[in-house]
Each structure stands twice: as C-alpha cells, then as structure tokens.
Amino acid sequence: MGVVHFTLLCFILLHSWKIAAYNDEDWKKATATFTKDTDEGSLVTEGACGYGDIHKASYGKHSAGLSSILFNRGSACGACYEIRCVDHILWCVMGSPSIVVTATDFCAPNYGLSVDYGGWCNFPREHFEMSHAAFAQIAKSKADIVPVQYRRVKCQRSGGLKYTMSGNSHFYQVLVTNVGLDGEVVAMKVKGSRTGWIPMARNWGQNWHCNVNLQQQPLSFEVTVSSGKTLTSYNVAPANWQFSQTFEGKQFSE
C-alpha cells in the first residue's frame, strides 16, 4: 500500500510540475521602468495611442508605454499585459505580485544611449514604461529599471466600447476606447443610414478615419480585434450627433 501511495504522490507531483511549467511558458522576459513625471503628464494625459486623458478613457493609472517592437506602430494600443517583477530580490516586491496594464503610449527609443544604460526602449528590446502607480505595485520606486516577465491577457472592461467623434464635413474620425477581450482593434467599419458599410483606415493609435460626410445620419460601427472576433453595434450615434461627442456601444463577450 505504501508503494501505491508513493507512486500516486509522484504522479501528482509530476502532473503539477507539468502544469506549472506550461504556465511559465506563457511568460516572456522584458524590463520595466516608470515615468518620472511628477504629475504622470506624458503617460496619463497624452500618449501615442490618442486616448488623451486616460482616466476619461477608463484606463486610469494602470497604463504603460511600449517599446518599438511591442508597440508595433500603434497596433498594440489598448492591449492588456500582465506584468510581474522577477529575479531581483532588492527591488521586486516580495512574492512577485503581478499587475495588468493597458498599452496607452509609445516608449520612444534613444539611440544615443546603449540598451543597457538609458536606451531601454531601443529596438529590439522589449520594455514597458509604466505609470508610477502601476510600477509601485510590483517593484520598489527606488529602482531605475527592473527585470520583468509579461504575457498578454484578456482585457476586463466595464461598460461597452466608446466612440469619440472628430473631424469635419469631409473627414470623419473616431477614437475607439474601452475595448474588452483582446483590447487591440485591427479593423473598423462605419455605416450611416444612407450608406453601406465603409472600411476605415487607422490614422494613428486607435483613431480611425474615412473621407465621407456622415453628418445628419445615425451611425453604426463594426469593430474587429486581433483574435478575429467582430462586434457590430447598430445606431450607436443618433442622427444629430456632433463632433467631440462620445457614444457607447456593445462590448465583446468571451
């Protein structure tokens, strides 16, 4: 009976080790710093994704700027990453807790500095420039740069996708925010009550545009995320919509 119990225990331990090893394979190596702006200025109120004030965009201070290879010319905007500090007993928070951040900005390279000293975001380095609030949950603020592990995770959002209008009578642009599931939008279409579905082009970040006059008609949107899932929200904006207004549509479900 003792042999049976020992064999069963070995099987359980081996199975558990395989599960742990598989989960660890999801994690990739990178580095992280935090913005030194005292008011979180460049990261929280601006950013290369076009979100503007990210508190209004519902991303709060759990946000990060991505190095070139991760940012991928803006296509990663809105994606969610789970990050944990590892392999540094002095700077990592005990237990290596993780935090989920949203990609809201681009961490520009500085080729005047080496990748090991200041050029953290130089290509092809994988690096996250986090808000101070987010960084402080995984590492001590005294640290300049820490080794981290990261992985893509599904974005958990409250409410539906939000569409903010801008442009003029011959140029229509919409900023899409609060995107759940994959977080990153790869294609968009818009439809007026007097048009068919019109493909939109990425202008920058998550701003999408088309050269069509869509005023004085209710608008519907079709959004496709990186996994290939598409969400259609009909009559999101009423016929009397105005530029600078924001409207809420449906949300992706798993």
Side-chain angles (χ1 to χ4, degrees):
M1 181 65 69
V3 173
V4 173
H5 284 168
F6 178 76
T7 303
L8 179 60
L9 177 62
C10 288
F11 174 79
I12 293 173
L13 290 174
L14 178 61
H15 183 65
S16 299
W17 176 84
K18 286 183 176 179
I19 292 175
Y22 174 78
N23 289 338
D24 283 343
E25 289 177 0
D26 294 340
W27 296 90
K28 298 179 181 179
K29 294 182 179 179
T31 52
T33 52
F34 65 91
T35 178
K36 291 182 171 61
D37 293 343
T38 56
D39 61 353
E40 310 277 351
S42 63
L43 192 61
V44 173
T45 60
E46 299 173 15
C49 290
Y51 295 134
D53 187 332
I54 61 174
H55 292 291
K56 295 180 180 178
S58 74
Y59 301 136
K61 292 185 177 180
H62 288 174
S63 55
L66 277 54
S67 59
S68 300
I69 196 168
L70 295 173
F71 191 68
N72 194 22
R73 298 183 178 180
S75 64
C77 288
C80 293
Y81 296 86
E82 184 179 10
I83 303 175
R84 63 187 182 188
C85 180
V86 295
D87 302 330
H88 206 302
I89 192 171
L90 183 62
W91 297 131
C92 294
V93 172
M94 186 177 295
S96 293
S98 64
I99 186 173
V100 176
V101 299
T102 299
T104 60
D105 200 3
F106 172 54
C107 182
N110 185 346
Y111 293 112
L113 299 174
S114 71
V115 295
D116 297 321
Y117 188 77
W120 317 127
C121 293
N122 292 354
F123 186 87
R125 187 163 181 148
E126 297 182 16
H127 183 81
F128 295 87
E129 184 183 50
M130 305 172 66
S131 66
H132 186 206
F135 185 88
Q137 294 189 39
I138 64 169
K140 298 177 181 178
S141 298
K142 292 182 180 180
D144 285 333
I145 182 170
V146 295
V148 299
Q149 291 179 334
Y150 76 94
R151 61 184 176 185
R152 281 288 306 275
V153 293
K154 293 178 181 178
C155 298
Q156 304 296 324
R157 307 297 187 202
S158 176
L161 274 66
K162 295 179 181 178
Y163 305 87
T164 301
M165 319 299 190
S166 63
N168 54 52
S169 60
H170 301 291
F171 176 83
Y172 175 75
Q173 180 170 275
V174 60
L175 169 66
V176 57
T177 59
N178 203 46
V179 181
L181 203 60
D182 302 334
E184 54 182 348
V185 176
V186 297
M188 273 195 70
K189 294 180 181 179
V190 62
K191 181 184 182 302
S193 58
R194 300 190 297 272
T195 73
W197 284 104
I198 302 168
M200 305 185 76
R202 186 192 302 276
N203 193 330
W204 61 286
Q206 286 299 359
N207 284 284
W208 297 77
H209 77 277
C210 62
N211 297 317
V212 179
N213 186 350
L214 294 170
Q215 292 178 299
Q216 303 303 314
Q217 49 187 315
L219 301 180
S220 303
F221 297 97
E222 182 181 282
V223 177
T224 302
V225 290
S226 55
S227 63
K229 289 189 175 182
T230 296
L231 176 70
T232 304
S233 296
Y234 291 98
N235 299 319
V236 174
N240 62 345
W241 64 266
Q242 301 292 321
F243 292 119
S244 78
Q245 288 183 319
T246 299
F247 300 94
E248 186 171 331
K250 295 180 180 179
Q251 181 59 271
F252 283 97
S253 58
E254 298 184 16

